[in-house]
Amino acid sequence: MRGILYCYMRQADKVQKFKQDPKPSACLHSVFNAQTGDEVFSHEEYGHLQINALSLFLLYLVEMISSGLQIIYNTDEVSFIQNLVFCVERAYRVPDFGVWERGSKYNNGCPELHSSSVGLAKAALEAINGFNLFGNQGCSWSVIFVDFDAHNRNRQTLCSLLPRESRSHNTDAALLPCLSYPGFALDDEVLFGQTLDKIIRKLKGKYGFKRFLRDGYRTALEDRTRRYYKPAEIKLFDGIECEFPIFFIFMIIDGIFRGNPTQVKEYQDLLDPLLQHTPEGCPVVPKYYYVPADFVEAEQRSPGSQRRFPSNNGRDGKLFLWGQAVYIIAKLLADKLVSPKDLDPIGRYVAPQDQRNVSMRFSNQGPLENDLVVHVALIAESQRLQVFLNTYGIQTQTPQQVEPIQIWAQKELVKAYFHLGVNEKLGLSGRPDRPIGCLGTSKIYRILGKTVVCYSIIFDLSDFYMSQDVMMLIDDIKNALQFIKQYWKMHGRPLFVVLIREDNIRGSRFNPILDMLAAFRKGLVGGVKVHVDRVQTLISGAVVEQLDFLSITETEEAPVFKSLEELDLPKHSKVKRQSSTPNASELEQQPDVNINDWKNKSTYEILQKLNDCSCLASQVLLSSILLKREGPNFITKEGTVAEHIERIYRRAGSRKLWLVLRYSAAFAQKFSSSITPHITTLLVHGKQVTLGAFGQEEAVISNPLSPAVIKDMIYDKCRLQDEREAVLQQELVIHIGWIISNSPELFSGMLKIRIGWIIHAMKYELQIRAGEMPAKDLYQMSPSEVKQLLLDILQPQQPGRSWLNRRQLDGSLNRTPAGFYDRVWQILERTPNGLIVAGRFLPQQPTLSDMTMYEMNFSLLVEDMLQNIDQPQYRQIIVELLMVISVILERNPELEFQDKVDLDKVVQEAFHDFQKDHSSPKGAENQSDMTAFYNTHPLGKKGTCSYLSKAVITLLLEGEMKSSHDDPCTIS
């Protein structure tokens, strides 16, 4: 362990880079020279990015120190380990090369998000949180801190990914040491059972477990002179994958930990015949068993029929050290020479019946019936507001009344954490600038002698304009309470600070706020039990975190933190509840200038108009012309252009002018940092995300990205269409992230979340609702109204809609029927020359050789084929066509397509037949208008499916028929 630490610490510069931007070129190496500790391969030569290896090191560091060993000697090493924790915390969004150092199963150099890596990271974070690296002799400065919210995101990601290992690995034996000994990373016994069952069904053989399906490692057909495989090469390894006895040993250890003697006996009996022996008679675990080249053909014809041979027999002195070590551990356990407690002193594994008695800093074990009561403190930002709320029976406190306790925004807590893990000698800064989530803000902090409570980021006005919508704020509060109830695992109650601002009760939305505050008083908010009291009373039952790393010497200057200050307003002055008449807002939204008229006018004229203009909507449009022409630092009457736009943004926010807000937010390039975890949420639910306007080029996100990259992507892809689209797309991602977490069934059949297309669907829905009247402007709607509209279009289709409307919405949402991608696979098996639609070609080979039927990557490939279709209703007709083709081929096994299948031509042929049956007296006036076709019911004699079926059968019969032995028409 000291040797590994030595190698790691010599690469402290990589740790510093990686925690800021986790990319393969900046990661710690995972291979070192055993004599010198030097690097062996560059990152171009080797897949060093292995979160699982780093996590295993941290996990065993805790296990070994807990057993009484001294491994960490000084504070430099402590700060280095703290920085390793910062790297591991982000495992849930860092694709790596995994246990087998290959990443994607195609072995093409692409990293993936692996369940085994995320799981071991979760286990390591649970083990090391609050752990003292100096053991029992340690002081406060040798304690390690973990971001509880980051740990929780790893937990959520693991549960979302399982039982899959990654996008290309349907399952993998690497999950065994993650979910069982030594990681014990999973809380959910049912999910553990499903994952283990899948591993055994798919990978277990007579000689061990395959690592994963189509694994070419050390098979007779693998070309060892090449690092990467060629496209479709993995098809060669189907059925001849090497089998590894080490996983039988892991199953033996798992059986011992779980008290399952039947499992132990089963795998001991399987392992014993596989062991080789040295000349001295010592048992040797072969690394793998392989099928020799001469037996490959016979094995592929009849899986399991051929004898396999061991990779090493111990007679040449070469040992597979990992297998040998695990075998010794299993023997010691089986012979009762050591107990599971000796191997696992920190109690990673807890039997289900003992889970209620776990006493750790926080417990990963569950899921238990969670009847948590969340403690709530209501804070009014001024005495005037407090007096006003008191007239409605709502008791609050002001910041002055909670003194000496201070109330901080979460960003101040982030500033405090900047000091954690700083080490100038090693060139390490502190915790990266990452927001603290609502689990972290529900603790009490002791910082430099002060007691601090924090309010959540949802109350932060400076974050994003969505917080200006009171209905969104109420929704966010309910979501946060639900989240805390579900994921709080610490001893002590969470303390949730609700900050009420005067701005929240202005306008017509005071009643919803009052209803929510009344619900707090009653003790039940959105199904969560709450207890409201004074902060001073609630502290006694809360979790207290001592941030001792901030202790300073007499020569150092103490860092300055800003606590929430009370608004200095006359106590008995009247709170303004109504800022404007309801209709004034609608009028103020509309600009009184035409931007196209002013684009060509001189800067002087625009400045003059800007000074004379009182309409905020006009001001923001005029300012945007100056911004593009003169730059952000150009001076206006109210400071620079950038400052003027920021001022408009604030004014529009207080007056709830959503159109102006979106304009000014877009021109100021506002960005909500919370979009990043929401995109990660969508990815781990097995979705891809595309950003960009409808009908324009889109950017596809298939792996988690940093906030800066996402911001550039959104503003780059949306600038050509409508500036407001950039901020509306951020809104949509945040809404969809929350919805998919709570109601994933609304997104079934939607593999690709195309944000621009969803906005198109929402605009279309507004047109349907308006009928003959002008449609409501989506950009004028409040964020909560936008969210409700989104929920409406995601609902399964209501009866009474026309088929055109249904196809428009389903096509915009990229929704597909159940089993759609499997059916496309079956079509491709009968289409040697592949499929083409809208210029995108899906070839039969290497697709079928490279992939497997149920693999997510194949489904994504089908989505790529449909990507070029620019009309939602036409996309839906293509989806229906593919379902029709599948049914026809299924019922006619003797048929297959001879030529490349052009789906566009098939639809045109079907539409041509449709026109013959529905000819209008106006003749060729609208020959290309397919509206009537789109609006036709799919079923029935004159349904779209009958026309599509006829076109498909015509195409099939143009080619030659494939002879079939069971064809009833064949005369033998």
Side-chain angles (χ1 to χ4, degrees):
M1 293 296 280
R2 291 286 305 167
I4 295 169
L5 182 62
Y6 169 77
C7 295
Y8 279 170
M9 288 186 71
R10 292 178 70 192
Q11 297 195 330
D13 60 318
K14 292 187 183 298
V15 174
Q16 177 62 18
K17 288 177 192 165
F18 187 80
K19 72 179 182 184
Q20 307 292 351
D21 184 11
K23 55 188 178 186
S25 59
C27 72
L28 276 175
H29 282 212
S30 51
V31 177
F32 297 94
N33 185 301
Q35 275 71 45
T36 64
D38 293 339
E39 296 177 4
V40 178
F41 305 113
S42 70
H43 72 268
E44 288 93 356
E45 299 171 291
Y46 193 83
H48 287 290
L49 179 47
Q50 296 168 39
I51 297 287
N52 55 288
L54 195 53
S55 302
L56 194 63
F57 173 75
L58 293 175
L59 175 61
Y60 258 81
L61 190 67
V62 177
E63 293 275 21
M64 292 168 77
I65 293 171
S66 296
S67 71
L69 294 170
Q70 186 179 355
I71 298 175
I72 302 299
Y73 292 167
N74 56 50
T75 51
D76 291 339
E77 293 172 0
V78 171
S79 56
F80 182 78
I81 296 296
Q82 180 64 67
N83 276 270
L84 291 188
V85 169
F86 295 148
C87 295
V88 168
E89 282 176 345
R90 283 292 176 95
Y92 66 92
R93 55 187 311 277
V94 180
D96 71 346
F97 292 103
V99 174
W100 312 129
E101 302 163 351
R102 289 189 169 188
S104 157
K105 84 169 182 187
Y106 314 125
N107 189 24
N108 55 9
C110 293
E112 288 188 323
L113 202 61
H114 291 92
S115 297
S116 52
S117 294
V118 175
L120 275 172
K122 170 185 176 285
L125 294 174
E126 285 165 357
I128 207 165
N129 180 48
F131 186 71
N132 200 312
L133 294 178
F134 289 173
N136 294 334
Q137 315 303 315
C139 302
S140 58
W141 55 77
S142 51
V143 171
I144 295 296
F145 290 81
V146 169
D147 178 354
F148 194 28
D149 291 275
H151 156 267
N152 189 63
R153 279 192 282 274
N154 280 300
R155 192 205 61 74
Q156 286 179 297
T157 303
L158 177 65
C159 291
S160 299
L161 284 171
L162 288 174
R164 285 183 296 117
E165 159 70 340
S166 72
R167 188 171 289 153
S168 66
H169 294 80
N170 194 260
T171 187
D172 198 305
L175 288 166
L176 286 176
C178 164
L179 304 184
S180 182
Y181 171 81
F184 299 109
L186 194 56
D187 321 335
D188 187 334
E189 287 293 318
V190 175
L191 188 52
F192 173 79
Q194 287 173 351
T195 308
L196 187 62
D197 175 64
K198 193 175 189 182
I199 294 168
I200 292 169
R201 275 190 295 109
K202 301 270 188 185
L203 305 178
K204 184 182 171 187
K206 284 192 289 190
Y207 297 88
F209 283 77
K210 299 175 174 70
R211 301 194 310 180
F212 52 89
L213 297 176
R214 293 188 175 180
D215 173 24
Y217 179 75
R218 295 297 184 259
T219 58
L221 300 183
E222 184 182 49
D223 181 354
R224 300 188 192 180
T225 62
R226 283 186 285 112
R227 182 181 171 195
Y228 297 130
Y229 295 159
K230 294 175 182 173
E233 192 173 351
I234 64 169
K235 175 73 172 172
L236 299 174
F237 315 126
D238 203 358
I240 61 162
E241 302 95 336
C242 293
E243 294 180 358
F244 290 72
I246 185 175
F247 297 111
F248 284 170
I249 305 172
F250 274 111
M251 292 302 290
I252 292 168
I253 297 174
D254 179 73
I256 292 167
F257 266 90
R258 295 180 189 277
N260 187 343
T262 310
Q263 180 178 315
V264 175
K265 176 79 167 59
E266 177 192 348
Y267 285 97
Q268 280 177 333
D269 293 345
L270 287 168
L271 178 69
D272 287 343
L274 305 177
L275 298 174
Q276 304 296 305
H277 292 85
T278 63
E280 297 77 28
C282 296
V284 170
V285 180
K287 184 173 183 179
Y288 55 86
Y289 276 81
Y290 66 97
V291 179
D294 296 344
F295 298 177
V296 163
E297 208 172 309
E299 176 69 16
Q300 288 186 320
R301 273 199 314 270
S302 176
S305 63
Q306 303 302 304
R307 184 183 165 206
R308 291 171 179 254
F309 292 83
S311 58
N312 57 304
N313 55 24
R315 294 191 183 91
D316 55 2
K318 291 181 180 177
L319 296 174
F320 172 41
L321 292 177
W322 183 21
Q324 212 60 28
V326 177
Y327 175 70
I328 292 167
I329 290 170
K331 286 295 286 179
L332 289 169
L333 282 168
D335 296 343
K336 295 189 165 47
L337 295 171
V338 298
S339 71
K341 186 66 183 167
D342 296 325
L343 271 184
D344 181 25
I346 63 170
R348 285 294 309 146
Y349 175 71
V350 182
Q353 64 269 23
D354 298 330
Q355 285 181 359
R356 288 185 181 277
N357 304 320
V358 177
S359 179
M360 292 164 63
R361 177 143 180 190
F362 59 81
S363 166
N364 65 309
Q365 304 295 345
L368 305 176
E369 285 302 317
N370 194 344
D371 199 29
L372 181 75
V373 177
V374 179
H375 284 172
V376 174
L378 302 178
I379 304 295
E381 71 172 348
S382 68
Q383 273 196 311
R384 182 172 80 172
L385 179 59
Q386 182 187 35
V387 169
F388 174 75
L389 291 171
N390 203 21
T391 61
Y392 291 89
I394 306 297
Q395 303 293 324
T396 59
Q397 288 178 281
T398 64
Q400 276 186 3
Q401 289 167 349
V402 301
E403 288 179 356
I405 299 165
Q406 293 192 355
I407 301 168
W408 285 11
Q410 62 84 34
K411 61 186 176 186
E412 294 299 309
L413 197 54
V414 170
K415 270 167 57 181
Y417 273 113
F418 283 163
H419 299 268
L420 176 61
V422 175
N423 190 294
E424 291 179 11
K425 198 189 302 182
L426 295 172
L428 296 170
S429 63
R431 180 182 183 272
D433 187 1
R434 301 169 184 165
I436 307 280
C438 50
L439 296 174
T441 53
S442 297
K443 295 191 276 190
I444 307 280
Y445 292 87
R446 294 281 300 160
I447 303 171
L448 296 173
K450 302 184 184 80
T451 302
V452 174
V453 296
C454 293
Y455 57 84
S456 168
I457 195 169
I458 62 176
F459 299 104
D460 223 334
L461 282 180
S462 61
D463 192 36
F464 196 56
Y465 66 83
M466 287 170 72
S467 62
Q468 299 279 3
D469 184 352
V470 167
M471 298 304 290
M472 279 305 303
L473 180 63
I474 292 170
D475 211 20
D476 286 345
I477 290 169
K478 288 178 180 175
N479 283 332
L481 290 171
Q482 196 66 51
F483 182 82
I484 292 166
K485 179 193 172 183
Q486 194 170 353
Y487 299 120
W488 184 268
K489 303 285 182 190
M490 286 179 274
H491 297 292
R493 305 278 192 194
L495 173 55
F496 187 72
V497 175
V498 175
L499 178 59
I500 309 161
R501 301 180 189 273
E502 290 207 354
D503 192 48
N504 299 150
I505 65 163
R506 290 208 177 103
S508 57
R509 296 219 164 145
F510 171 63
N511 287 338
I513 282 279
L514 191 61
D515 291 343
M516 183 193 68
L517 294 174
F520 274 121
R521 198 174 61 174
K522 288 175 184 170
L524 195 66
V525 178
V528 180
K529 291 181 183 175
V530 296
H531 171 67
V532 180
D533 212 327
R534 296 167 67 249
V535 174
Q536 290 89 334
T537 310
L538 298 176
I539 274 188
S540 58
V543 174
V544 180
E545 190 82 88
Q546 305 270 356
L547 301 194
D548 296 317
F549 57 83
L550 274 165
S551 56
I552 51 167
T553 61
E554 291 178 10
T555 55
E556 288 179 313
E557 194 173 319
V560 178
F561 300 106
K562 188 181 176 187
S563 63
L564 179 68
E565 292 180 0
E566 193 169 309
L567 289 187
D568 190 18
L569 299 164
K571 183 175 176 180
H572 296 291
S573 59
K574 194 175 179 184
V575 175
K576 291 180 185 174
R577 280 222 6 230
Q578 209 65 31
S579 57
S580 59
T581 58
N583 294 330
S585 175
E586 292 294 321
L587 296 170
E588 284 179 291
Q589 296 258 29
Q590 302 301 329
D592 55 12
V593 297
N594 185 324
I595 191 165
N596 293 320
D597 295 344
W598 285 86
K599 274 181 181 173
N600 300 320
K601 296 199 176 183
S602 69
T603 300
Y604 175 77
E605 287 178 285
I606 294 169
L607 277 172
Q608 285 293 107
K609 179 66 177 171
L610 192 60
N611 293 340
D612 299 340
C613 177
S614 60
C615 170
L616 285 178
S618 301
Q619 284 183 32
V620 76
L621 291 178
L622 293 169
S623 299
S624 73
I625 299 171
L626 293 176
L627 181 71
K628 289 170 187 171
R629 187 187 295 175
E630 308 290 348
N633 297 319
F634 183 72
I635 302 296
T636 70
K637 186 179 177 183
E638 295 196 40
T640 65
V641 173
E643 288 167 350
H644 194 171
I645 290 173
E646 186 68 30
R647 203 167 283 114
I648 295 169
Y649 178 72
R650 297 288 163 215
R651 287 174 188 160
S654 64
R655 288 151 73 174
K656 310 293 183 275
L657 304 176
W658 302 112
L659 180 72
V660 183
L661 257 174
R662 289 188 177 99
Y663 264 129
S664 52
F667 295 140
Q669 298 218 337
K670 294 284 180 186
F671 181 72
S672 172
S673 56
S674 62
I675 191 176
T676 314
H678 284 301
I679 283 180
T680 305
T681 301
L682 294 173
L683 295 176
V684 301
H685 274 85
K687 312 295 182 188
Q688 271 193 342
V689 183
T690 70
L691 300 171
F694 175 80
Q696 305 290 326
E697 185 189 0
E698 296 167 282
V700 180
I701 302 177
S702 51
N703 284 316
L705 299 172
S706 67
V709 172
I710 294 171
K711 179 180 178 180
D712 290 346
M713 195 179 281
I714 286 180
Y715 279 99
D716 178 55
K717 295 298 175 192
C718 296
R719 64 189 162 84
L720 298 174
Q721 183 77 3
D722 184 331
E723 291 92 343
R724 300 167 297 178
E725 182 102 356
V727 288
L728 189 62
Q729 293 214 0
Q730 293 178 58
E731 270 184 64
L732 263 287
V733 169
I734 292 167
H735 292 323
I736 291 168
W738 277 117
I739 294 168
I740 203 170
S741 297
N742 298 327
S743 309
E745 70 282 356
L746 291 178
F747 294 87
S748 59
M750 294 167 59
L751 190 61
K752 208 171 239 185
I753 309 291
R754 299 173 76 178
I755 305 298
W757 279 55
I758 291 174
I759 289 173
H760 174 77
M762 294 167 79
K763 290 176 179 175
Y764 184 75
E765 175 68 14
L766 290 173
Q767 285 174 6
I768 295 170
R769 291 180 182 183
E772 299 298 315
M773 302 293 290
K776 195 171 182 181
D777 184 1
L778 182 62
Y779 297 106
Q780 286 195 18
M781 294 167 68
S782 69
S784 53
E785 290 170 330
V786 169
K787 184 179 182 181
Q788 188 54 54
L789 178 61
L790 173 64
L791 280 166
D792 291 344
I793 66 164
L794 288 173
Q795 298 300 330
Q797 294 299 332
Q798 302 93 354
R801 297 219 168 208
S802 72
W803 279 98
L804 173 63
N805 292 347
R806 289 190 191 192
R807 288 187 173 111
Q808 266 275 13
L809 288 174
D810 282 340
S812 296
L813 296 172
N814 282 222
R815 196 175 262 151
T816 58
F820 171 71
Y821 303 107
D822 301 346
R823 287 181 174 273
V824 177
W825 177 276
Q826 290 160 351
I827 294 169
L828 211 54
E829 288 179 317
R830 310 265 287 279
T831 315
N833 292 301
L835 302 165
I836 188 167
V837 62
R840 293 293 275 264
F841 179 50
L842 180 63
Q844 187 192 61
Q845 295 298 346
T847 308
L848 298 189
S849 299
D850 232 2
M851 299 179 176
T852 50
M853 185 176 185
Y854 303 108
E855 196 176 303
M856 191 188 289
N857 279 347
F858 174 71
S859 305
L860 292 170
L861 202 61
V862 175
E863 281 296 333
D864 284 345
M865 178 184 74
L866 302 173
Q867 183 83 14
N868 273 10
I869 300 172
D870 57 4
Q871 290 183 312
Q873 64 273 36
Y874 185 68
R875 179 199 150 92
Q876 207 56 23
I877 287 288
I878 292 290
V879 168
E880 289 173 29
L881 169 61
L882 287 166
M883 295 297 283
V884 166
I885 295 172
S886 166
V887 172
I888 291 171
L889 291 179
E890 194 176 357
R891 293 176 183 174
N892 299 274
E894 75 283 2
L895 296 177
E896 72 170 29
F897 292 103
Q898 299 301 310
D899 298 318
K900 185 188 293 181
V901 178
D902 188 330
L903 300 177
D904 297 318
K905 283 186 179 175
V906 178
V907 172
Q908 285 306 312
E909 189 65 35
F911 177 56
H912 184 63
D913 280 349
F914 174 84
Q915 280 184 311
K916 285 180 188 173
D917 291 350
H918 298 78
S919 57
S920 62
K922 294 188 179 179
E925 187 182 338
N926 287 317
Q927 285 297 305
S928 61
D929 184 6
M930 294 178 68
T931 306
F933 189 64
Y934 296 139
N935 207 19
T936 303
H937 196 289
L939 304 178
K941 188 178 177 184
K942 299 288 186 184
T944 52
C945 284
S946 66
Y947 293 104
L948 293 170
S949 300
K950 184 180 173 185
V952 170
I953 291 166
T954 304
L955 186 63
L956 275 166
L957 295 178
E958 281 175 1
E960 295 175 19
M961 285 203 188
K962 191 174 64 170
S963 64
S964 173
H965 293 299
D966 54 356
D967 189 341
C969 297
T970 305
I971 301 171
S972 54

